[in-house]
Amino acid sequence: MLVNLNQVLVPAKKNHYAVGLFNAVNMELARGIINAAECSRSPVIMGTAEVLFPYGPLEEVSYYLIPMAKKANVPVVIHLDHGLNKETCIKALELGFSSIMYDCSTDPYEVNVEKVREMAEIAHSYGATIEGELGHVGDNEGSAEGSSHLADPSKYFTDPKMAKDYVQKTGVDALAIAVGNAHGAYKLPPKLDFERIRTIANTVDVPLVLHGGSGLTDNDFRQAIKEGISKVNIFTDINVAMVKAEFSKFSDMNKGIIDLIPAAVEAVKQETLAKMKLFSSDGKAACPSGNVVCQDPRKVQNLALSQAEIQKIVEMVVAQVRK
């Protein structure tokens, strides 16, 4: 089922787990992500980013992302990550994306606020949600997400006091924060400012987002989620897992693409499953009402059969009594 950020992140914030965003620039990535979500009964956020358009143009990825989300038996958000231009964000909304991120983090504060406030009004008019970024999350060398290498990332960390003002003025539904994280593969072990995460989480009402999740340790993730992170962005890990699987299958030239596709899908599925379990989103797939966890369809079917059998027994008993 296609949903927006509020429908998956508000429960995550309340119950102290996180939902993963996994970018899917082709069908193999999308199939692996959806398979993992349905297998683990996990809500999931799937999408693409503006810097990834050379590998999967926005309109083309919408042709499979949105129908797959609607068909899925778990909540799926289709999200534009790091929309850098107003026109791109509006195009995503027109195509049916249920959520966008308008990244104005490199603009002066007041400009960031005004641009994101305007876009929030537009997104909400579509019934979609919006994520903003305060501070600036840089990029490791070679990152597919960008090229803003920061010599001293701490200068761009999110200020908790400004975070509260930013959320109130913009009306964003989720806030991406800079706390020592970066996009792409880390060259050196990152040091997240967990106290800053906790302070911001206690300062603002909206769910917090951690970009640059690939390469962090399991303990980093657990602690970040404990302190208040509700959404974690992952791309490098599933991207690399997919390539490794294809290389392992490509032992000689007597191979076709159909020999590689199953391995690629399975590798993405397994890597995504591992992240969902780590984020504790497995088993949290809420029904459309948001009140209960959806049951496994097989269990529902079994329950229906059991009820039918009970009804049959009741009818037999009533018939005997009437005799």
Side-chain angles (χ1 to χ4, degrees), residues 40-175:
S40 65
R41 307 302 304 156
S42 173
V44 69
I45 306 162
M46 186 167 65
T48 188
E50 190 161 349
V51 294
L52 297 177
F53 289 175
Y55 315 104
L58 179 63
E59 189 164 354
E60 291 182 14
V61 299
S62 74
Y63 296 157
Y64 59 85
L65 288 181
I66 295 168
M68 290 175 76
K70 290 180 177 179
K71 185 180 177 182
N73 59 28
V74 294
V76 182
V77 180
I78 299 301
H79 181 77
L80 170 68
D81 193 33
H82 290 289
L84 304 176
N85 299 286
K86 178 180 178 180
E87 296 75 19
T88 304
C89 292
I90 293 175
K91 181 65 173 178
L93 293 169
E94 290 175 344
L95 288 169
F97 277 59
S98 58
S99 186
I100 59 169
M101 177 197 181
Y102 192 21
D103 185 357
C104 303
S105 60
T106 57
D107 289 325
Y109 180 72
E110 293 301 333
V111 176
N112 183 349
V113 167
E114 182 55 31
K115 288 168 69 173
V116 174
R117 183 200 61 76
E118 179 188 18
M119 186 55 62
E121 292 180 359
I122 296 171
H124 292 157
S125 74
Y126 279 84
T129 43
I130 183 169
E131 175 185 330
E133 181 174 322
L134 181 63
H136 180 64
V137 178
D139 308 292
N140 286 302
E141 186 177 353
S143 165
E145 285 83 351
S147 58
S148 57
H149 312 309
L150 307 178
D152 185 3
S154 64
K155 292 182 179 179
Y156 300 87
F157 279 8
T158 305
D159 183 323
K161 293 180 181 179
M162 292 180 71
K164 183 175 183 179
D165 183 69
Y166 183 83
V167 169
Q168 291 176 340
K169 288 182 177 178
T170 59
V172 292
D173 302 289
L175 178 65

Side-chain angles (χ1 to χ4, degrees), residues 82 153 176 179 196 199 205 211 233 239 246 287 301 311-312:
H82 290 289
V179 289
R196 187 177 298 267
T199 302
D205 295 328
H211 284 247
N233 288 21
N239 189 26
E246 290 182 334
C287 289
Q301 183 180 19
Q311 181 63 32
K312 186 175 181 179

Side-chain angles (χ1 to χ4, degrees), residues 210-222:
L210 185 70
H211 284 247
S214 293
L216 296 175
T217 68
D218 288 359
N219 286 335
D220 284 335
F221 283 121
R222 293 190 187 100

Side-chain angles (χ1 to χ4, degrees), residues 296-312:
D296 187 316
R298 291 168 295 181
K299 292 182 180 179
V300 174
Q301 183 180 19
N302 290 339
L303 180 60
L305 288 172
S306 177
Q307 289 173 335
E309 290 170 352
I310 292 171
Q311 181 63 32
K312 186 175 181 179

Side-chain angles (χ1 to χ4, degrees), residues 269-282:
K269 175 183 176 180
Q270 293 304 322
E271 185 64 32
T272 305
L273 277 171
K275 289 294 188 291
M276 289 172 169
K277 183 175 181 180
L278 180 59
F279 302 161
S280 297
S281 67
D282 53 323

